[in-house]
Amino acid sequence: MTVRVMIADDQAMVRTGFGMILAAEDGIEVVAEAEDGVQAVELAARHRPDVVLMDIRMPRLDGLEALRLLNRPGAVAPPRVVMVTTFDDDEYVHRALHGGAHGFILKDAGPALLVEAVRAAASGDALISPSITLRLLRRFQRTKPVPRKPQVELSSRETEVVRLVARGLTNAEIAAALSVTAGTVKTHLGNVQAKLPARNRVEIAAWAWESGLLES
């Protein structure tokens, strides 16, 4: 099954570079390119991509606002958006996570991570650049906010999975750490999403950080 991708970035060289990386991969096809947020929303409606690689700072409409419009209430089968940016800013990460992004990676993360983020989003998974995950964890540990008492009852294994998700591990890495199959990890994550509820693993990670689950 081919993953249909749209690239939204105001720099032509970035769009070309990403397009070349993705074109070299089996099962991935770039179906559209947008140079600003307004065009991204319009082309997403026209081409119905599975995944959108979305820059944040773009003219006319920034990527975070375009993300909000794509995920607006009533939207039918919205694409899964991976935010790809040069700007490693905590506020951007926070807004993207709560806006329903299926990943957040930096432009200098390298071709392998870019491809992995596309495939993860297409499968309903999500990926955050490890450097961002670790920094966010350090920030939460440093500020030590008063955690909210989790209002959701998770099993011990679900709790283990959520903690590892919040630390940026992939399903394969979680499976290896817990000595289970990747399919079992996906089942646990599906159960957790239904309990929270959360639209994706990025929102699961955000919930874990904010509820203080990593501190317990």
Side-chain angles (χ1 to χ4, degrees):
M1 182 176 178
T2 300
V3 179
R4 295 164 48 81
V5 179
M6 182 176 78
I7 302 168
D9 195 291
D10 62 333
Q11 297 183 51
M13 290 183 63
V14 171
R15 297 196 303 273
T16 299
F18 285 178
M20 292 176 63
I21 291 169
L22 298 177
E25 295 294 318
D26 293 333
I28 296 179
E29 177 188 5
V30 177
V31 297
E33 295 184 8
E35 60 186 26
D36 59 50
V38 171
Q39 194 174 54
V41 175
E42 293 172 349
L43 292 180
R46 185 184 309 167
H47 294 279
R48 310 300 298 175
D50 303 304
V51 177
V52 175
L53 294 175
M54 184 85 75
D55 190 17
I56 289 182
R57 292 190 180 180
M58 294 187 291
R60 294 209 292 170
L61 189 72
D62 68 35
L64 292 169
E65 183 63 16
L67 170 68
R68 185 189 68 80
L69 291 176
L70 290 174
N71 285 328
R72 65 190 180 279
V76 178
R80 290 160 177 167
V81 179
V82 176
M83 308 306 297
V84 188
T85 181
T86 305
F87 304 99
D88 187 2
D89 183 277
D90 288 350
E91 178 62 23
Y92 288 158
V93 177
H94 181 80
R95 289 177 60 192
L97 298 184
H98 288 275
H102 276 70
F104 194 110
I105 64 174
L106 301 178
K107 288 181 179 178
D108 62 2
L113 196 66
L114 181 74
V115 173
E116 186 179 357
V118 168
R119 295 196 187 280
S123 66
D125 209 340
L127 187 148
I128 307 174
S129 285
S131 62
I132 295 174
T133 301
L134 293 174
R135 192 188 70 251
L136 286 173
L137 287 171
R138 285 196 295 268
R139 180 169 63 85
F140 273 92
Q141 291 168 352
R142 184 174 62 250
T143 56
K144 293 190 180 298
V146 177
R148 300 179 307 177
K149 183 178 179 180
Q151 300 298 311
V152 178
E153 292 292 332
L154 302 180
S155 70
S156 59
R157 181 46 61 92
E158 288 169 350
T159 300
E160 289 178 316
V161 170
V162 168
R163 283 174 173 155
L164 293 176
V165 166
R167 289 186 169 92
L169 273 67
T170 65
N171 282 2
E173 291 169 336
I174 294 171
L178 300 180
S179 299
V180 298
T181 67
T184 298
V185 173
K186 286 187 176 182
T187 297
H188 286 311
L189 287 175
N191 293 338
V192 170
Q193 282 182 242
K195 287 181 178 181
L196 287 181
R199 287 173 291 185
N200 53 61
R201 69 185 288 131
V202 181
E203 291 189 359
I204 291 175
W207 175 83
W209 297 332
E210 292 176 352
S211 66
L213 192 65
L214 301 180
E215 300 289 332
S216 58

